[in-house]
């Protein structure tokens, strides 16, 4: 089970701002990552040839089906143009409100994977099947059924806004990647059979849709799943580094969360969690802040049954109300007599205390 401290509890306005900034940066990065069109076409044809050699070109028969059967093609276009932008934020809000202990790690996983996808768009611009030459047999169903929706012939962007999207960002498919993230969240944190089955169905339907609409190759979908897997592996180290930075900035070390929000324990040796700063963290350092036992002598009568006055005669003078010292021992603040009739006494006889 994971734990949330008051310092780590997410605030809705901060999360909304963070997600908006990351998504805007991602969208801008897609535009900046536009490569040469001829390079993107070459990459797309290379993927298609590899799929045909391995008999993995599932997008070809699916696109034929979506093109010939409007009852399938039109709903598929609506799914492609909308659910990608609706389901993902809905799952984020659901986790934030209903599963707050899991939210931070889930959000980090999604963001890291999205940034990895942006790296893929930059390194390998890829022409989707729908933009290949017609001789390859693909039909752009988004353009074919554009009169039924708000999109135009340029991907899923609304009409007149096609220049605001990168149509050659096909590898990897983040439609598939994000839907896989949503499916995992529903399966792991949904408490009803319906939610869990939706967690299975949603990524499968999305994978079929992106191929049938000729927006992605099958290998694009595989790459989208691989990006999410790599993002999951990087989530725990990324959160650990972030926690260390926050711990140094705040003057305290913070327990790092796993991919599913599970803490791994206290920070490295030498750093101690401040008392009361982290709730629910097990294995607190024992003895921290515990005062040392007092070394003051206890007021106990002599074991031989003599009275305190008799003890004064045997060399253990009374120097305070009920406090005794052994011969030659001084207590803090005790003053000795420098002169007077008792000056000739032996060093073993302590002066009377104030």
């Amino acid at each position: 089970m994971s734990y949330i401290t008051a310092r780590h509890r997410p605030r809705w306005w901060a999360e909304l701002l963070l997600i908006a900034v990351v998504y805007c940066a991602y969208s801008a990065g897609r535009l900046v990552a536009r490569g040469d069109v001829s390079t993107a076409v070459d990459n797309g044809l290379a993927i298609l040839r590899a799929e045909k050699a391995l008999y993995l070109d599932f997008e070809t028969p699916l696109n034929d089906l979506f093109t010939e059967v409007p009852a399938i093609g039109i709903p598929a276009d609506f799914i492609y143009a909308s659910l990608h932008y609706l389901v993902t934020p809905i799952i984020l809000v659901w986790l934030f409100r209903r599963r707050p202990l899991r939210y931070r790690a889930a959000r980090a996983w999604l963001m890291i994977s999205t940034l990895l996808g942006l790296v893929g768009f930059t390194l390998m611009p890829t022409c989707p099947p729908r933009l290949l030459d017609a001789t390859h047999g693909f039909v752009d169903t988004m353009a074919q059924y554009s009169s039924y929706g708000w999109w135009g012939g340029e991907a899923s962007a609304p009409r007149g806004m096609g220049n605001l999207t990168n149509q050659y960002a096909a590898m990897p498919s983040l439609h598939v990647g994000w839907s896989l993230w949503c499916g995992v969240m529903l399966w792991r944190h949904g408490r009803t059979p319906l939610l869990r089955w939706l967690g299975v169905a949603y990524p499968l339907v999305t994978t079929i849709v992106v191929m049938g609409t000729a927006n992605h190759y099958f290998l694009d979908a595989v790459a989208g799943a691989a990006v999410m897997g790599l993002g999951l592996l990087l989530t725990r180290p990324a959160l650990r580094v972030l926690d260390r930075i926050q711990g140094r900035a705040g003057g305290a070390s913070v327990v790092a969360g796993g991919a599913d929000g599970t803490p791994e324990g206290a920070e490295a040796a030498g750093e101690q969690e401040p008392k009361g700063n982290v709730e629910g963290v097990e294995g607190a350092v024992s003895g921290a802040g515990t005062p040392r036992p007092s070394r003051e002598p206890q007021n106990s009568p002599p074991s031989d049954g003599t009275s305190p006055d008799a003890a004064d005669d045997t060399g253990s003078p009374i120097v305070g109300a009920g406090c005794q010292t052994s011969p030659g021992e001084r207590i803090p603040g005790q003053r000795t007599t420098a002169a007077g009739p008792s000056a000739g006494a032996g060093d073993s006889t302590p002066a009377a205390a104030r």
Side-chain angles (χ1 to χ4, degrees):
M1 181 179 179
S2 60
Y3 302 95
I4 289 185
T5 67
R7 194 157 62 94
H8 275 118
R9 188 175 298 277
R11 300 176 180 177
W12 69 268
W13 55 267
E15 289 299 314
L16 185 62
L17 179 62
L18 175 62
I19 293 173
V21 169
V22 171
Y23 184 77
C24 290
Y26 161 72
S27 300
R30 280 172 56 102
L31 296 178
V32 174
R34 285 177 175 174
D36 181 67
V37 174
S38 61
T39 302
V41 172
D42 291 341
N43 290 335
L45 291 175
I47 293 174
L48 184 59
R49 286 193 296 268
E51 287 185 349
K52 288 183 176 181
L54 298 172
Y55 301 98
L56 296 176
D57 55 330
F58 305 123
E59 61 272 6
T60 300
L62 285 173
N63 182 245
D64 292 340
L65 176 64
F66 284 26
T67 302
E68 296 171 0
V69 183
I72 298 177
I74 295 175
D77 286 346
F78 274 98
I79 290 174
Y80 183 84
S82 60
L83 293 190
H84 179 62
Y85 307 102
L86 293 178
V87 176
T88 306
I90 288 175
I91 297 295
L92 276 171
V93 173
W94 174 68
L95 289 172
F96 182 85
R97 293 180 59 87
R98 305 298 297 271
R99 304 292 185 271
L101 299 180
R102 307 295 184 182
Y103 171 79
R104 182 171 177 254
R107 180 253 291 154
W109 177 22
L110 179 64
M111 290 187 175
I112 292 172
S113 302
T114 300
L115 295 178
L116 291 176
L118 183 59
V119 174
F121 301 152
T122 304
L123 297 180
M124 190 174 178
T126 303
C127 177
R130 63 185 179 82
L131 294 182
L132 293 176
D133 190 90
T135 56
H136 295 285
F138 293 102
V139 175
D140 186 354
T141 62
M142 303 293 291
Q144 179 182 2
Y145 302 122
S146 60
S147 59
Y148 291 90
W150 60 86
W151 58 85
E154 299 171 321
S156 57
R159 294 185 185 89
M161 300 181 63
N163 59 335
L164 298 179
T165 185
N166 181 3
Q167 299 191 74
Y168 299 100
M171 171 66 77
S173 171
L174 287 187
H175 269 75
V176 173
W178 287 13
S179 67
L180 180 60
W181 177 87
C182 294
V184 171
M185 294 300 106
L186 289 174
W187 178 264
R188 293 194 63 184
H189 307 307
R191 295 180 178 176
T192 64
L194 176 60
L195 288 178
R196 292 190 173 184
W197 281 113
L198 287 176
V200 174
Y202 179 55
L204 292 178
V205 170
T206 301
T207 302
I208 294 174
V209 164
V210 299
M211 292 189 295
T213 56
N215 280 284
H216 289 283
Y217 307 94
F218 173 72
L219 290 182
D220 293 345
V222 173
V227 162
M228 297 306 296
L230 181 58
L232 178 61
L233 294 177
L234 294 177
T235 298
R236 176 176 294 180
L239 288 178
R240 186 181 296 118
V241 171
L242 180 61
D243 282 342
R244 286 177 179 174
I245 294 174
Q246 291 178 342
R248 291 175 182 176
S253 61
V254 182
V255 175
D260 62 350
T262 305
E264 288 191 315
E267 283 295 324
E271 295 183 346
Q272 178 180 324
E273 288 291 340
K275 183 178 180 181
N277 191 32
V278 178
E279 299 176 358
V281 179
E282 299 179 354
V285 180
S286 60
T290 304
R292 295 183 178 180
S294 173
R295 293 182 177 271
E296 295 181 2
Q298 297 179 354
N299 182 18
S300 58
S303 59
D304 57 356
T306 60
S307 63
D309 295 337
D312 185 32
D313 297 335
T314 60
S316 298
I318 299 177
V319 296
C323 297
Q324 298 180 358
T325 60
S326 59
E329 183 179 357
R330 295 179 59 192
I331 62 175
Q334 179 181 355
R335 295 188 298 178
T336 59
T337 304
S342 62
D347 294 337
S348 62
T349 304
R354 292 190 298 175

